[in-house]
Amino acid sequence: MYDFAYQKPASVADAVKLLAGDAEAKLLAGGQTFIPVLKQRLNKPSAVIDLAGLKLSGISVSANSVTIGAMTTHATVARSAEVKKAIPGLAMLASWIGDNQVRHRGTIGGSLANNDPSACYPAAVLALGAVIKTNKRAIKADDFFQGMFTTALEPDEIITAVEFPLPVEKSAYEKFRQPASRYAMVGVFVAKGPAGVRVAVTGAGQNGVFRVPEMEAALAKSWSPDAIAGVKVSPEGLNSDIHGSAAYRAHLITVMAKRAVAAA
Amino acid sequence: MAFEGIGASVKRREDGRFLAGRGHYVDDMNRPGQVYAAIRRSDRPHARIKSIDSSAAAAAPGVIAVYTGADMAADGIGGLPCGWQIHNKDGSPMAEPMHPVLATGKVRHVGDPIAVVIAETKAQAKDAAELLVIDFEDLPGVADIRAASAPGAPLVHDEVAGNVCYDWHIGDKGAVDAAFARAKHVVKLDLVNNRLIPNAMEPRAALGECDVSGHYTLSTTSQNPHVIRLLMGAFVLHIPEHKLRIIAPDVGGGFGSKIYHYAEEAIVTWAAGKLRRPVKWTAERSESFMSDAHGRDHVSHAEMAVDEEGHFLALRVSTLANMGAYLSTFAPSVPTYLYATLLAGVYKTPAIYAEVKAIFTNTVPVDAYRGAGRPEAAFLLERLVDVVAQETGIDRVELRRKNFIPADAYPYQTPVALQYDSGNHEMTLAEALKAADYAGFPARRAEAARRGKLRGIGISTYLEACGIAPSHVAGALGARAGLYEVANIRVHPTGSVTVFTGAHSHGQGHETTFAQLVADQLGVPFDQVDVVHGDTGEIPFGMGTYGSRSLAVGGSAMVKAMDKIIAKGKRIAAHLMEASVEDIEFKDGAFRVAGTDKAKALAEISLAAYVPHNYPIEELEPGLEETAFYDPKNFTYPGGCHVCEVEIDPETGVTKVVNFVAVDDVGRVINPMIVEGQVQGGVAQGIGQALLEGAAYDANGQLLSGSFMDYTMPRADNLPNITVGTEITLCTHNPLGSKGCGEVGAIGSPPAVINAVVDALKDYGVRHIDMPATPEKIWSIIAANRPKMAAE
Ligand SMILES: Cc1cc2nc3c(=O)[nH]c(=O)nc-3n(C[C@H](O)[C@H](O)[C@H](O)COP(=O)(O)OP(=O)(O)OC[C@H]3O[C@@H](n4cnc5c(N)ncnc54)[C@H](O)[C@@H]3O)c2cc1C
């Protein structure tokens, strides 16, 4: 790790001020991605701005939405009775991220801002048509993810919360774990809610999370694994690495989607 | 008091400190004035070093020194030695290119050390190491053994033609050819033994010190401190042994990777002498991936000649073995004397011929890793036997039984040099099949099929060789060291005992097992015996721990030292009780005059020995302390049967190991609980090799699996409940009858797992699947082959 200045502001406004005033400054949430990056000396920030003092954690539920603060940990989401009731697939997804230690540090805001192509949350956020709230604006999931490790966030923008519209009639996540890292090699979130029937895939695509319209159309007609069993996803544009070829990932998308539909 | 002698599952006394976080590892050691070394390593597989500009690094804050290979050469330091010389088929010695401590001229693998920066803090050393400006000229590299041995391949060492380190063979080729000519069946198999990265939990570390009078101390993560003293002192740094002390304190796992003498050990010791300050280096995990010796990496072709009834007539094997970029300490011995000599396995195959070519590549050096050579032999043989069964239509259990060396044929001379002393393969097979409910498998398979799962069962009946010996034979085969072990037993004046052993514990529980052994034999309470290991300043000598040798060889040395203690004690007792020495018996911790009730406890004898007022001083020296060097007459030969049951999800190709039974013949058992733990750990590694682990390089030599994000270690949820049983025959040539248990798990299990996977896929026309049997490989087989039954 290179040396950096450590800042722990007490309000979003102060954090934004620090961030805007220093192009080399970086935000720190749970540190589960960022600290390893620092340790490997892959990033050399001038300052690290810790978001832990901004009171951005917590879950609130209204008739129309579940709102999860950006600093809410995966463990909190996983065991939240309200989330389990309103959007069971979301709690399920959070419970499968990393290991216990990771789940108790890593946050939803950090995961979305990072937009790792094999992260789990982007699949839920896209499938459920969630809205990402920042200090400046509200960004629709459809506009937020812009390719791997790339989002619509501006340099001085901080995610404050994520709002999931209700009611969600069906939701489930199935994850084929990359054997070493256990991130999603193929993760599929299926949902039926205010945003319609959606199937979002993470882990497989070279550009991060994406939807599968053929499956959505089939499921809209009939919500059953059989309805999508015949839908073949093209390997084009999918990742290929030592853990799995694009063709294998394409195959797994259908398998995971079927299993998610069955579980929802 | 509970029984704590031989055969008792005494809880490991070392676990108290480990579980409480109180272990004392090299990185826990800090010395006044200590400075830190950071190593700049090659990030490219193969390149010429045109120049190194260290001026910016040297001027960076806190930097004390920057050294390159040229500085070491200026001090007369050559390369790291290799401890085993193999001879080619034509009798000429193997190619043994220089293994510089710091790269000179060229870098040959990703991770090859180029320069060291020493600074006041670790961060300063790392910062400065990045400031070194190295001008490289990239060269084409080669990582795969087949590619490296092809004509026109890039040369790892300019002077080594064809990248061939050696081209060696063993066995009677003529007899094998003749047997093949008359065989009814010839069964052929090509197979790969995957490359593994050991990943001990504790990364390597080294702390060098030099005092004002020029005495050096190196504290290092080593499995064999005396060997390091010998290699580094005599061959690298030219420090005489009396001025060099090596300490290997608590060491967090080795699996072979901490046997070898590594560059960093020489660097910190040499630098400590130059700077007269303690110099510490601790590997980061990413350095471990690219600098700890890797394991296995074979490509083999095997052929079995079989007669009408299924008897093996002859075995022919040809293997390419990856040495990596340089010869690690014992690398040449692994694919030769620890591999090809084991190709008889448990079978009475009358003729065997094996040829092995060792090849240099632009990869991390490869050396012994848990099992070392024997897992490669067991995998090849036990897979081949299953394929023979498949192709001849003979049941795989029956085929094995038909070819077993019968229990009454021991001692048994194999056609590949070894003479097995004892074993009973029928016994371990029968017990394992029973424990695994082999007979009930068809019903479980049918039940799994109803759930849409493919269930398979696999067996492996393996044999291995531990405690490589005797020294003169190993020497004749190319070893440049002896292979005995040393024990010093000190009975203190009041009768408590300290055992100094040349073996080293880095997870094996020696402090418990050895104390049990000595307490049992001397008849003193377990808590009156302490075991000291890992310090050349305290222990007379030793060869260390590897090859499952510690009990069979090191424990036998203790028995020999205790024999001397008892013999001397008898003379003292005879004097004290006014009897003749011949009439003294030693039993249950007391010396007795036979046929009388006169007795003296060991503590009384030891007190007399140290306070020799009433003592046969004319004939005997005072004191009660003895040392024994024990050079075994032969290897020991553990063996057994492993049974693995798997379930495959045909939609994803994911294999789940649902049951695993290991029944091993490890000879006499001192602590059954520790043996069970050793076997379970070995099986976990074997399942890891079979299903999960695989070092990946690109064609050029760039390491693709350089972290836990990409290198799949086995985890708890990858493993089934592992049932361990022992069915023993005693080793006939060592005083304990023990054989060794540290590696059996890793040797017997990979073929059992793959045999189970192939069995699960038998309707898909598959003969063989290489390790690791990843979900994608299995899915590809399923996707490409409609089940035979469905097609029929
Ligand atoms: C061993 C391990 C296993 C893992 N497995 C999985 C897995 O299976 N699935 C999965 O999805 N993830 C996995 N993760 C990643 C984990 O979910 C992380 O928590 C997540 O990627 C980042 O969240 P964080 O809170 O730790 O963010 P940090 O690491 O602190 O930050 C990540 C990035 O986001 C930025 N950032 C953080 N918060 C905000 C914010 N509020 N606004 C704007 N920018 C922000 C930071 O500046 C940084 O660039 C794993 C991590 C580890 C270490």
Side-chain angles (χ1 to χ4, degrees), chain A residues 55-60 67-73 76-77 108 160-162:
Chain A
K55 301 185 185 62
L56 290 180
S57 105
I59 299 170
S60 62
T67 302
I68 302 178
M71 288 295 285
T72 310
T73 64
T76 305
V77 175
I108 188 168
T160 52
V162 188

Side-chain angles (χ1 to χ4, degrees), chain A residues 1-3 39 41 176 178-183 241-245 247-248 251-252 255-256 258-259, chain B residues 123 126-127 130 284 649 651-654 692 696 704-705 708-712 715 717-718 775-776 779:
Chain A
M1 200 178 284
Y2 297 104
D3 286 350
K39 280 187 171 170
R41 299 185 155 220
F176 189 91
Q178 194 258 53
S181 73
R182 301 213 172 167
Y183 274 69
D241 57 27
I242 59 174
H243 304 289
S245 63
Y248 182 48
H251 164 76
L252 287 176
V255 177
M256 293 297 117
K258 272 179 3 191
R259 291 183 183 183
Chain B
K126 288 188 72 172
D127 285 346
E130 288 178 2
E284 300 192 352
D649 174 351
E651 264 191 327
T652 59
V654 170
L692 305 164
L704 303 176
S705 57
F708 291 133
M709 292 295 277
D710 285 306
Y711 186 83
T712 312
R715 300 184 205 189
D717 64 357
N718 295 124
E776 177 167 21
W779 169 75

Side-chain angles (χ1 to χ4, degrees), chain A residues 27 29-34 74 98 102 106-107 110 113 119-120 159 175 182-183:
Chain A
L27 301 176
Q32 296 305 292
T33 295
F34 193 47
H74 310 327
V102 168
T107 66
C120 298
I159 300 177
K175 176 180 181 183
R182 301 213 172 167
Y183 274 69

Side-chain angles (χ1 to χ4, degrees), chain B residues 579-602:
Chain B
S580 89
V581 178
E582 294 73 48
D583 289 338
I584 306 291
E585 298 172 335
F586 180 72
K587 204 169 164 261
D588 300 334
F591 294 88
R592 297 168 204 281
V593 182
T596 75
D597 57 1
K598 285 207 261 181
K600 292 265 178 211
L602 178 67

Side-chain angles (χ1 to χ4, degrees), chain A residues 26-35 51 70 74 96-99 102 105-107 109-111 113-114 118-121 153 157-159 175 181-184:
Chain A
K26 281 271 187 300
L27 301 176
L28 174 71
Q32 296 305 292
T33 295
F34 193 47
I35 300 278
L51 304 181
H74 310 327
W96 290 345
I97 295 176
D99 50 43
V102 168
R105 293 293 308 169
T107 66
S111 180
N114 194 48
S118 49
C120 298
Y121 266 130
L153 291 175
E157 200 165 9
I158 297 177
I159 300 177
K175 176 180 181 183
S181 73
R182 301 213 172 167
Y183 274 69

